[in-house]
Amino acid sequence: AKPVLILWAWDRLEDLTFLEPGEAEVAGLLGTILLRDGEMRVEGRRLPLKVPAAMPILGVVRVESDGPALPDAVRVAQEIRNLAGRPRVSGIQIDFDARASQLGWYKQLLKELGPVSMTALASWCLDAPWFAGAGVREGVPMLFRMGPQQPQVLRRLRRQGEFADGCRGAVGISTDEPIEWLPPATRVYVFHPKPWTEEAFRQLCARF
């Protein structure tokens, strides 16, 4: 069976009204939460995201931090819920490339939010992930922009045949970094470095 394709729509002018019912889902950026010196600033999406009339959107919230001082996770969770509390947002996905020193705080945030989707560094998912027990609905290991460890991670993943429990079922890829082999996945999230076009989407579909 073909996997469900979910198009990531980042903060740029995105017109996805060409999608036909059942062709793909959309995960659109709602905003970014900037954590600086223990304080928090919320920046909402600036550019329009157009989708077909009846299509729900998985709301993506990006979290960025400049260091070890982090605000109260309960407050941050509330801001994330505020961003997601708008019509047609069907759920939340958190995107935070947390450092090792921030993982305890991040796990607390995930527990506060309840069952959400989250992007995950592929290296987090080779063994039992640190967010096990946090109530995460879906971990999405990202197989792009992986940096120097990419060959090593992909070799080990191929050897294992799949990611660890907690990261199975979904995977994230990018149209400009083709991967020869993907682990089993029923949901494939796709990043495109430019605004989506129908042509780019059809080319993607041809790969699946």
Side-chain angles (χ1 to χ4, degrees):
K2 287 185 176 182
V4 175
L5 297 176
I6 305 106
L7 308 185
W8 270 314
W10 224 236
D11 196 3
R12 54 196 170 202
L13 185 59
E14 288 281 14
D15 185 350
L16 295 166
T17 52
F18 59 79
L19 290 173
E20 299 291 338
E23 278 192 318
E25 297 177 9
V26 175
L29 185 77
L30 298 177
T32 302
I33 294 186
L34 302 163
L35 308 179
R36 300 280 183 266
D37 301 320
E39 297 298 321
M40 165 176 48
R41 191 169 92 246
V42 182
E43 292 183 350
R45 184 186 183 94
R46 290 165 296 206
L47 295 169
L49 166 58
K50 298 178 184 176
V51 296
M55 179 176 281
I57 297 169
L58 177 63
V60 182
V61 178
R62 170 86 180 150
V63 179
E64 295 181 357
S65 161
D66 69 347
L70 295 165
D72 180 41
V74 178
R75 280 179 50 223
V76 177
Q78 186 56 52
E79 289 296 341
I80 290 171
R81 283 192 290 266
N82 290 346
L83 277 172
R86 58 187 69 183
R88 295 172 62 184
V89 174
S90 62
I92 297 171
Q93 182 178 78
I94 307 298
D95 180 46
F96 180 28
D97 305 330
R99 305 171 196 180
S101 61
Q102 299 169 324
L103 297 184
W105 179 90
Y106 192 10
K107 190 168 185 175
Q108 185 188 354
L109 176 70
L110 292 167
K111 285 180 176 177
E112 286 292 333
L113 285 168
V116 295
S117 172
M118 65 174 285
T119 64
L121 303 185
S123 57
W124 291 347
C125 290
L126 292 170
D127 301 301
W130 58 265
F131 50 85
V136 171
R137 174 177 63 78
E138 171 188 67
V140 184
M142 294 180 290
L143 292 174
F144 63 101
R145 312 291 192 269
M146 294 165 66
Q149 60 181 340
Q150 178 164 339
Q152 179 186 351
V153 169
L154 290 179
R155 272 198 306 273
R156 187 169 159 203
L157 176 61
R158 189 75 186 259
R159 204 162 57 237
Q160 289 181 193
E162 61 183 352
F163 282 111
D165 195 22
C167 292
R168 292 178 190 154
V171 69
I173 62 172
S174 178
T175 56
D176 64 347
E177 286 188 37
I179 286 193
E180 292 175 14
W181 176 84
L182 282 178
T186 54
R187 290 166 61 79
V188 177
Y189 287 83
V190 189
F191 176 77
H192 191 51
K194 300 173 185 171
W196 282 101
T197 61
E198 183 164 7
E199 183 187 6
F201 175 64
R202 300 291 161 218
Q203 288 174 352
L204 170 68
C205 291
R207 289 166 54 188
F208 292 91

